Amino acid sequence: MKHKRPLVKARVAATLALLAGGMCVASTASAECEFKFDPFLTKATGSPNPVMKWLGHPCAQPEAGVSERTESADGVTTIINTPPGQHPSVDPFANPPGSNFLMTVYENLRDYENREMPNTLPSTPENPYNLHDGPVLTAEIDKRSPDDDLDMVIDRIEAAAKKGRKKINKDLVKFAIDILEGNPIDRAYSGLPMLHYQGPVNDSPVIPEYDADGNLVGGNVDVNIFYWGQHIEADAMFINPAAVQEVPWTVTYNVHILNNGMEDFSPMGSHVNRFINPKGVEVTGPPHASMDQTFFPMLDEGTRYTVKIKQTKGKYFNLIYHWGWRIHPPRVQAIENSLKKAGPDGWNYVQWEKSAFCEGGANDPDCDPVGNQADKDYAIAQIGELSPAKRMWTLFRSMLEDDDDHGDMKKKGKKHKKDKKHKKHKKDKKDKKLKKGDLAHIATDLRAAYYDWTDRTKLPAGVEADPDATMTMLYVNNTFYGSRQGLQGEGSGQGPASWKGVANGSVHDWNIRPYNFKVTVLNADHFQHFYRNVDFGGTRGWENQFQFTDPTTLVGPHPEIPPGHEANYPPFSNSPIISGYDNVFPINRSGTEEFLQPTPRNPDDPVNGLPQLGSGCFFTFGRNYLWPNAGALSGLIPVPPVGADGTPGMHKVDITMNYEPSRRLKLYQFDPLHHGVAIYSLH
């Protein structure tokens, strides 16, 4: 039994020929949902009878199965052998786009029961931005970033040291501490900490919305997100969709493009499948598909872009990744579903964050590292001393005469709720307090820590790469740092970005199965991290949809602004609709050496003058069927915390990939239980 619709179906051979020739085209096909035997669900549910479900794009692609897992005799290495890819073995770079490329189906996704999942078709020829709910609005903001401000403070300390001074203005030092702790300051990014300890309270609920008759019709959650340098940071680490399980909802993003922050806004929604189990109960199934929900250029630094993105029903919500393709891998941030549970105790994801940063553990009833100074002290102490941000914080605090005279809470007279805990931390701080020394020495250490903090594509000071590993990774400050293992790749050969594809820390030598990837994972934080490795479409298939981004203006059509809409009023500018930029093209061929400026098109140049169809062409996911390689279905992979002597905890993972990667992203690495910015992907 098949589910088909009268859609345009392109010939696969013709499509492959066009793509191989360097063109970015729309390849469409009919829906191929078929009701058939699902061996994976049959085994997973323990059913004595065959489980029949709807499979085939845009229903679920067949599952890949569970990776084989063994442990080394010494317990140091987890060895993973992935299931074989379900597509023929074809090098997607020598023969683009490869056998795992799926023809576009202009329909919403469907779950195992063939039920339509609303708001899962991100782009169509008629509406390139199909999931935008209303126009994109803009407002001017202060463009100064944490990079700028910390650099300014260190500049002044260096200048004072050069003049032979021994002290520096305390207000300036406290300003730097406020930046790192996320205390209120006079900046657009006020309240955003560079020390990542606020996860226990960064859970944003979806607020339900009702019609005039009181019927639940949707919901919305607001997210403030900030782009600058190598960073994407947000005020939400979790979203709670409890109120919208059976209705679609929206995320209203306030995207702050700070200095050196221009980017193509690309939230990628990830979804789980749902099915009726053999007992007749609807349950959550394995991963379904992810998709770039938009691919929208935001090129004006010092601008807040407000965009509302439609989501499907809350019961399908897994998480949302926010990619920064212009500087990737470091530019990425994830917001998880706080209702998800993991581990032997069945903790939800907020409880896992509490287990790391709250003295009372996962079930601490009143842990508040933002509103209570004692809780803040404990949480920051959990961040490892090798963290560049923690190193700066420690050095700045050493410059204050009174080590305790820095917290806003104490200045306001708020009492600590746990006096014993506070006294313990006060003693610890005195024990660990740096001796006051030459200001020049402090300035040198601050500058070194600052440089380490601004670049997480290399390991920070005090951490050595494993020469026997493909890559060495470091967890610290709830962040993932990667080693530079030397340059790889021959370049893309595509127009003005022909040198792109020559990058560090990539896996350019993996084009065809099998591929052996050895990663040594270090942990310098004072709590346990975990390692997970995920494939985005290599083994199950991927689709590319943003071919229709207008190559002249960079943006597609917007709906008209209705009377009374907020776009007509302050604080939005007089021209609140993003109108595009003539002859300006964002160039994106991946890698951390990406352009930070728009590239003007010269019509007289036979190469650079060719329409480049925006940075989404051929390189966005569209929709992709993700599947975990390691650290999920075959069990969590823990990485022990830093030792008492300061030696980082360590675990090695040896993975054999038995499939071809997708062209856009080869593998995704992260901590599944402390996600946020603890991510490092490879191209």
Side-chain angles (χ1 to χ4, degrees):
M1 182 186 300
K2 289 189 176 182
H3 162 78
K4 290 193 175 183
R5 277 174 167 70
L7 300 172
V8 177
K9 187 169 184 178
R11 293 184 179 180
V12 176
T15 300
L16 295 180
L18 287 169
L19 287 168
M23 295 185 66
C24 190
V25 299
S27 309
T28 60
S30 299
E32 294 291 339
C33 293
E34 185 175 356
F35 190 66
K36 60 183 180 180
F37 170 57
D38 188 323
F40 179 85
L41 286 186
T42 301
K43 183 177 181 179
T45 60
S47 174
N49 301 312
V51 173
M52 305 290 290
K53 295 300 173 188
W54 291 87
L55 300 175
H57 182 50
C59 292
Q61 282 287 90
E63 307 88 352
V66 181
S67 296
E68 297 175 359
R69 172 175 174 168
T70 57
E71 304 295 330
S72 63
D74 58 7
V76 171
T77 305
T78 296
I79 302 164
I80 298 291
N81 190 43
T82 74
Q86 55 191 250
H87 303 278
S89 182
V90 174
D91 184 334
F93 297 88
N95 300 283
S99 62
N100 49 22
F101 183 78
L102 303 176
M103 299 297 101
T104 300
V105 177
Y106 288 110
E107 294 186 24
N108 283 318
L109 294 173
R110 292 175 172 269
D111 68 11
Y112 278 125
E113 306 300 334
N114 201 27
R115 297 174 299 192
E116 186 174 4
M117 299 167 59
N119 299 332
T120 54
L121 176 60
S123 185
T124 70
E126 296 75 26
N127 187 4
Y129 297 99
N130 199 41
L131 298 183
H132 284 212
D133 188 356
V136 177
L137 310 176
T138 61
E140 185 177 352
I141 59 171
D142 187 335
K143 70 182 293 184
R144 287 173 291 185
S145 74
D147 282 19
D148 297 332
D149 288 327
L150 289 171
D151 185 38
M152 176 272 295
V153 172
I154 297 172
D155 278 346
R156 294 190 183 182
I157 293 172
E158 289 171 331
K162 189 174 182 180
K163 294 178 180 179
R165 297 177 184 171
K166 296 183 179 180
K167 293 185 178 181
I168 193 72
N169 186 306
K170 286 186 182 180
D171 288 339
L172 192 66
V173 176
K174 290 178 181 178
F175 176 61
I177 292 172
D178 286 340
I179 293 170
L180 293 166
E181 292 186 359
N183 300 325
I185 57 175
D186 183 23
R187 291 292 188 272
Y189 64 86
S190 175
L192 189 74
M194 303 302 105
L195 294 166
H196 299 139
Y197 65 95
Q198 294 184 1
V201 294
N202 283 354
D203 185 15
S204 298
V206 180
I207 306 302
E209 297 173 345
Y210 302 89
D211 64 16
D213 297 323
N215 300 309
L216 178 66
V217 294
N220 180 74
V221 61
D222 292 341
V223 172
N224 290 293
I225 192 164
F226 302 81
Y227 290 66
W228 80 94
Q230 286 195 3
H231 295 263
I232 299 177
E233 308 263 357
D235 65 356
M237 191 173 182
F238 307 100
I239 288 175
N240 185 332
V244 290
Q245 290 291 287
E246 293 294 341
V247 293
W249 50 290
T250 56
V251 178
T252 298
Y253 287 101
N254 294 305
V255 185
H256 301 73
I257 304 298
L258 305 179
N259 194 31
N260 291 326
M262 62 184 308
E263 189 51 87
D264 305 298
F265 180 58
S266 181
M268 189 180 82
S270 176
H271 306 90
V272 293
N273 216 320
R274 300 277 295 185
F275 68 100
I276 308 299
N277 69 14
K279 296 181 180 180
V281 178
E282 181 173 343
V283 295
T284 296
H288 192 349
S290 299
M291 69 200 67
D292 285 329
Q293 296 171 319
T294 184
F295 203 85
F296 195 90
M298 296 185 175
L299 306 181
D300 282 341
E301 295 170 353
T303 300
R304 182 180 69 240
Y305 295 78
T306 298
V307 55
K308 183 179 287 190
I309 301 296
K310 302 173 187 176
Q311 309 292 326
T312 191
K313 294 180 180 180
K315 65 182 180 181
Y316 298 112
F317 176 54
N318 183 27
L319 71 154
I320 305 174
Y321 298 106
H322 303 93
W323 306 105
W325 291 123
R326 288 170 178 254
I327 303 183
H328 199 254
R331 266 191 193 173
V332 63
Q333 190 271 351
I335 300 179
E336 284 275 5
N337 181 342
S338 62
L339 301 180
K340 290 164 60 175
K341 295 182 178 181
D345 297 313
W347 291 344
N348 65 40
Y349 277 30
V350 176
Q351 287 178 297
W352 274 103
E353 204 66 12
K354 284 186 174 183
S355 74
F357 291 105
C358 298
E359 188 177 32
N363 296 310
D364 192 325
D366 57 353
C367 175
D368 184 3
V370 175
N372 181 274
Q373 188 65 42
D375 285 344
K376 176 190 282 190
D377 291 343
Y378 180 88
I380 293 177
Q382 291 293 91
I383 295 172
E385 285 68 32
L386 289 175
S387 159
K390 181 81 173 279
R391 284 157 52 199
M392 286 191 287
W393 180 80
T394 302
L395 287 163
F396 283 127
R397 282 164 54 92
S398 76
M399 300 174 70
L400 299 179
E401 288 184 2
D402 182 353
D403 199 43
D404 282 328
D405 185 23
H406 70 280
D408 287 342
M409 295 299 171
K410 187 166 185 178
K411 286 190 288 185
K412 293 179 181 178
K414 183 169 181 177
K415 294 182 179 180
H416 295 279
K417 67 176 181 179
K418 301 172 183 174
D419 292 337
K420 290 183 179 179
K421 182 167 73 173
H422 176 60
K423 289 178 181 178
K424 175 182 180 298
H425 276 279
K426 186 173 181 179
K427 180 180 183 300
D428 289 344
K429 285 188 288 184
K430 287 184 177 179
D431 291 342
K432 296 178 181 178
K433 182 178 176 182
L434 296 180
K435 295 180 180 179
K436 293 185 182 296
D438 179 33
L439 190 62
H441 178 73
I442 293 177
T444 299
D445 289 347
L446 276 172
R447 180 58 68 186
Y450 173 81
Y451 283 147
D452 276 350
W453 176 70
T454 58
D455 184 6
R456 66 183 185 93
T457 68
K458 66 180 183 65
L459 298 173
V463 183
E464 297 295 329
D466 179 355
D468 297 323
T470 310
M471 194 167 199
T472 301
M473 309 295 300
L474 172 72
Y475 284 123
V476 72
N477 189 26
N478 236 8
T479 306
F480 222 177
Y481 288 80
S483 65
R484 289 180 170 172
Q485 301 290 77
L487 297 179
Q488 301 181 65
E490 299 177 355
S492 67
Q494 300 183 46
S498 60
W499 56 278
K500 295 299 178 181
V502 180
N504 72 78
S506 298
V507 281
H508 288 288
D509 50 344
W510 176 27
N511 292 336
I512 200 159
R513 72 186 79 174
Y515 176 75
N516 184 235
F517 179 73
K518 295 181 179 180
V519 57
T520 295
V521 188
L522 305 175
N523 180 9
D525 281 327
H526 294 280
F527 56 92
Q528 190 178 53
H529 278 284
F530 296 84
Y531 177 84
R532 182 169 293 175
N533 186 300
V534 171
D535 162 53
F536 284 129
T539 186
R540 299 175 71 202
W542 63 288
E543 182 189 60
N544 185 39
Q545 288 197 317
F546 280 87
Q547 307 92 330
F548 299 107
T549 301
D550 186 329
T552 302
T553 65
L554 303 180
V555 298
H558 286 281
E560 294 183 2
I561 302 177
H565 192 279
E566 60 182 330
N568 296 309
Y569 304 98
F572 301 108
S573 59
N574 292 330
S575 300
I577 301 303
I578 306 303
S579 58
Y581 299 76
D582 288 340
N583 302 325
V584 176
F585 293 80
I587 306 301
N588 183 4
R589 296 292 183 266
S590 83
T592 58
E593 301 83 2
E594 191 52 78
F595 288 115
L596 287 177
Q597 298 294 328
T599 301
R601 179 162 63 101
N602 178 3
D604 298 326
D605 187 323
V607 177
N608 294 355
L610 296 176
Q612 297 173 41
L613 300 180
S615 54
C617 177
F618 207 74
F619 289 101
T620 57
F621 287 129
R623 296 182 294 200
N624 68 90
Y625 291 89
L626 72 156
W627 197 255
N629 292 322
L633 300 177
S634 60
L636 292 169
I637 300 176
V639 185
V642 64
D645 63 352
T647 302
M650 184 267 289
H651 193 80
K652 298 181 179 182
V653 185
D654 185 325
I655 310 175
T656 298
M657 315 287 191
N658 294 301
Y659 60 91
E660 283 68 46
S662 70
R663 282 182 57 100
R664 187 58 186 97
L665 190 71
K666 292 190 173 180
L667 58 88
Y668 182 87
Q669 308 171 98
F670 66 111
D671 182 339
L673 302 183
H674 304 286
H675 207 159
V677 294
I679 304 165
Y680 206 95
S681 304
L682 297 178
H683 295 268

